[in-house]
Structures are given as C-alpha cells and as structure tokens.
C-alpha cells in the first residue's frame, strides 16, 4: 500500500497543474488518471483538438475564398480531411506527452486506473482487473465533467454525437444539426461549416451564448448568419430517431428536421459517478456538483475538490487557478482565486472574449456604470489585416471609473482580453488603460480607444 501527502484524482488542467504545484511545494504527490493520455478533456478531446481544427478549417476557408480579395489566388484547393485530423492528433499527442514529462521532472507519481474511495482516507485504483489500495493525508478530486444529454436522446457516438466524436468525423457531414448554441455548439458549427457542411443550430432560448453580454451575443449571431450558419431559436428538442440513413430531430410545436449528423452540445455535468463518494462521506450539492468551502474543502476535511466538478464556469484556466490556490492553501495556509478576473473566450471567427461583469449583471445589481465602444473598423491594424468586423464594449464604474467588464467580438479577442484581466486584477480604472501607451499599429489600440471612449475622448471614432 502506498501512502502520499496528496492524491489527486484526475489529470485534466485542474488536476495536473495542482499536482505539479504541490510537488514544487514539497509534497509527496500522486495523480490517478483512468485514460492512457494525461491532460483530461481539455487536452485530449476538448480545447486543444478543437483549436487545431478551428485553425486548420480557417486556413482552408481563407484558401478557398477570402484570400482572393487580397490578390492571392489559390487554384484547385483540396481538402484532405484525414491529414487535417492527423495534424490535430499530433498536437494532442505532443501536449499530453508533455504533461507526462512534466510529471517526471517534478517527481509526481502517475497512477493509471479509476480511483474509488473505500473510506475517507483510502482509495482503490482499479485498472485492467487489478486493484491497488492507496492512502494519503489529503485527496483532491479533479474529475471534471461529461457531456449532458437531453431526455429522450442518448448519443450513439455515430449519428447523434457529443463533441468528442464531432472532433473526429471522417467525412464532412452534408447536413449537421447542432443542439445548443453555447461554446461547443458554435465552435464545432464553425469548423464543419467552413469545411462544407450545411449547419443548422437549434437553441432552446431566444438568444445564443447565454451568460455572455446580450449585445455582443446579438452581434455574434448576425455575423455567424452572414457566414452561413442557420439559427432556429426557441427550439425545445424532444427526441431523435433514425430516418433511413439520416437522423430526424423532433422539436416541440415545430416541424422536425433531418440531418446526417446531430451534435448534442447542451452543457456538461459533473463527473462523480465512479468516485465512491458515499464511502468517503462526501456530500453533493445542487445538480450533483461537489460542495466546497472557500478553500475547496468538501464536508470531509481531508478531501478537496476543484474544477468543473464543483461548478461555476467550466473552463480549463478556472480549474488551473483553483488547483493552484487549493494546494497552496493546504501547504501555506494562503490561496485565492479572483472569480471576477476569469476570462472566457469563444474561438469562432471573429473570436468573442469577455471578462468581468456584463451590462445585464450591472443593471440587475444596480451598479452605476459608463460605457465606451470602439469598432475594429476604425483600427488601422484590423483594416490592414482585412478583419474589421466586431467591436469592443468597455464597462467602467460611473463614479470610481474602475474597470467592471470588457466584452470583445473581433480579431484575436482571446489575446486582447488578457490586458483587461490584468487591469481588473490590479483594480485599474478605464483611465489607466486610456493613458497607457499602446504600440501602433496593433489591435490592442482598439482597447485603449474603447477605454478612452468611456470618457468620450476616443480619437479615431
Ligand atoms: P453551454 O452551456 O455553453 O451551452 C449549452 C446551450 O444549450 C445553451 O445555450 C442552452 O440554452 C442550450 N440548450 C440546453 N437545452 C437545450 C435543448 N433542449 N434544446 C436546445 N438547446 C438547449 O454548453 P456547451 O456548449 O455544451 O459547452 C459545455 C461547457 O464546456 C461550457 O460550460 C463551456 O464553458 C465549456 N467549453 C468552453 C470552451 C471555451 O472555453 N472556448 C469551448 C468548449 C466548451
């Protein structure tokens, strides 16, 4: 039987980062992972492979169309989907093996198998019919989440799929129906539309991207429609059935719709099933998320949990921050995450990036605010790049001028938002950004101008 200071269950961005940090802090750490490759959903079947496909499909779309306007005429462009998928797989393998070598470098013990608590101080790790008992002073659950499904629909992985299979279609579906206009729905719709699918997105609500700033989400919908995506809002999907080789999707009160493939992207749920939480005495809260206190401690004092499994934004970087804060608190007594400074990015084209409060939230909370806008149309670099769609919306406190939230739809929005995250982390004002020199010509100047627009002194718009 092995005894560790800390046993981490799950090697996604939350778990593996926590393991490395704990080892740096001098703990004897092991990390249990049931999959062969480390890195969790993010590296294996989420963020990373989807970004590889988003990037490749963007190149393809440029080569087959938009480069012409810039005087680059590529004749007979062909799609080799299997090569595109191999590139994605190589990226994933490289990164997951990278985590393995980081574990070796930091002396984190990697255990292969499924971990199940038998009591609050012991887990059994099962793999290939064999099992091993492991004890530890503390445990950290970082098991993440799995795709949710809808009543009456069970993805079969072939015709009705989750994001995992939609990252590996071996042929471009002629018609793809996507259920849910959230992060996954929009990113995967973008990939397959660019590669030639006719894509219809069915969304339950009367808007896309719930939770994002309403105005920015509405602009995103317009731009995506211009690109060819079809949105059917207010659609409650009630079931699917095979109709010959196609899938028929039933919608309450509306005509059904047929497609070659159907992607279910209606959210994700915490992965707690196999953990034996009853044996450990850990209680679950709403919608089966693990309840934790401010230090990520469950109701059992030596068992902690972080990442998707505790709820909140289901984002890799949020899990990483929690993992570090949790182990630092265990070792040093300090550790904190500023949830107001967690950015979110949708990697469509244009990208959408957001941090801090939305305008809707400020209205609900009765916080007085000022707004500044700047369109990429008025930014020299965006013009030079031919990517002038979108804008920046800046929200600052009406009295203190403190940055409250920034919402960007436009080129490289995901990179631009980092400056705002730092500003929020340092409690900066819009004036701080407005008076900071930004290199010319850069997209970042648009952020400075949006900050200047808060006091109606933008120069170029
Ligand atoms: P989501 O929560 O972003 O969106 C789900 C959508 O499905 C919502 O718009 C919801 O209204 C809709 N929906 C729910 N029930 C429905 C029904 N019966 N019929 C039609 N529509 C319905 O969830 P998604 O896209 O599955 O992503 C899961 C998680 O993964 C998210 O929490 C997200 O944070 C994370 N993620 C993050 C990415 C990123 O950071 N770029 C990329 C992909 C996923």
């Amino acid at each position: 039987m092995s005894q560790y200071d800390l046993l981490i269950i799950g090697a996604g961005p939350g778990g593996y980062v926590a393991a490395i940090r704990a080892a740096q802090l001098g703990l004897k750490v092991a990390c249990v992972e049931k999959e062969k490759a480390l890195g969790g959903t993010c590296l294996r079947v989420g963020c990373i492979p989807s970004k590889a496909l988003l990037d490749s499909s963007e190149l393809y779309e440029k080569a087959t169309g938009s480069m012409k306007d810039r005087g680059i005429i590529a004749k007979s462009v062909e799609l080799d989907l299997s090569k595109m998928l191999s590139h994605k797989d190589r990226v994933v393998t490289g990164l997951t093996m990278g985590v393995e070598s980081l574990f070796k470098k930091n002396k984190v013990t990697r255990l292969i198998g499924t971990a199940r608590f038998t009591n609050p101080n012991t887990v059994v790790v099962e793999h290939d019919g064999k099992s091993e008992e492991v004890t530890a002073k503390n445990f950290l659950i970082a098991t993440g989440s799995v795709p949710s499904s809808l009543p009456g629909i069970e993805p079969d992985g072939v015709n009705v799929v989750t994001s995992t299979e939609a990252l590996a279609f071996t042929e471009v579906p002629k018609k793809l129906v996507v259920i849910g206009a959230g992060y996954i729905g929009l990113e995967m719709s973008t990939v397959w539309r660019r590669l030639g699918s006719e894509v219809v997105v069915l969304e339950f609500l009367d808007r896309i991207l719930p939770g994002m700033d309403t105005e920015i989400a509405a602009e995103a919908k317009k731009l995506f429609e211009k690109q060819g995506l079809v949105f059917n809002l207010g659609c409650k999907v009630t079931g699917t059935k095979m109709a010959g080789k196609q899938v028929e999707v039933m919608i309450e009160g509306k005509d059904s719709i047929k497609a070659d493939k159907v992607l279910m992207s209606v959210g994700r749920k915490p992965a707690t099933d196999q953990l034996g939480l009853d044996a450990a005495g850990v209680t679950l809260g709403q919608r089966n998320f693990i309840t934790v206190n401010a230090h990520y401690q469950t109701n059992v004092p030596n068992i902690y949990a972080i990442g998707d499994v505790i709820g909140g934004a289901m984002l890799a970087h949020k899990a990483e921050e929690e993992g570090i804060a949790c182990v630092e608190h265990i070792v040093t007594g300090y550790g904190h995450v500023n949830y107001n400074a967690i950015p979110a990015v949708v990697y469509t084209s244009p990208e959408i990036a957001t941090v801090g409060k939305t305008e809707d939230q400020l209205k609900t909370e009765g916080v007085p605010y000022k707004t500044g806008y700047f369109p990429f149309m008025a930014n020299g670099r965006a013009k030079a790049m031919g990517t002038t769609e979108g804008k920046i919306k800046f929200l600052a406190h009406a009295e203190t001028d403190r940055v409250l939230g920034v919402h960007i739809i436009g080129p490289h929005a995901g990179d631009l938002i980092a400056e705002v995250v730092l500003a929020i982390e340092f409690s900066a004002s819009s004036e701080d950004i407005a008076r900071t020199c930004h290199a010319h010509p850069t997209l970042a100047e648009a952020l400075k101008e949006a900050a200047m627009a808060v006091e109606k002194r933008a120069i170029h718009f």
Side-chain angles (χ1 to χ4, degrees), residues 163-223:
S163 51
T164 303
E165 296 82 29
L167 288 166
F169 288 148
T170 49
E171 274 175 39
V172 178
K174 222 165 152 281
K175 182 159 180 180
L176 171 68
V177 161
V178 172
I179 310 175
Y183 285 66
I184 294 180
L186 292 177
E187 290 185 358
M188 296 318 295
S189 294
T190 299
V191 166
W192 294 107
R193 178 199 57 72
R194 285 172 176 161
L195 299 181
S197 295
E198 176 194 344
V199 182
V200 178
V201 184
L202 308 177
E203 167 59 49
F204 177 68
L205 300 173
D206 60 359
R207 59 166 291 171
I208 67 167
L209 291 170
M212 285 243 172
D213 189 89
T214 306
E215 190 183 352
I216 297 293
E219 175 140 357
K221 180 169 170 279
K222 262 193 235 151
L223 294 176

Side-chain angles (χ1 to χ4, degrees), residues 265-345:
S265 46
V266 293
R268 298 178 61 89
K269 57 184 181 186
T272 52
D273 287 1
Q274 298 170 304
L275 283 168
L277 292 180
D278 284 348
V282 173
T283 54
L284 299 178
Q286 269 192 342
R287 293 174 31 229
N288 283 344
F289 287 107
I290 297 178
T291 312
V292 291
N293 65 16
H295 306 306
Y296 307 101
Q297 199 168 28
T298 67
N299 61 307
V300 181
N302 65 320
I303 302 180
Y304 295 78
I306 53 137
D308 286 7
V309 82
I310 64 166
M314 289 185 161
L315 298 169
H317 46 275
K318 174 252 191 196
E320 287 180 33
E321 296 303 324
E322 288 177 344
I324 288 176
C326 176
V327 295
E328 286 188 350
H329 187 268
I330 292 172
V331 178
T332 68
Y334 304 99
H336 173 75
V337 176
N338 177 1
Y339 285 98
N340 201 36
I342 303 277
V345 182

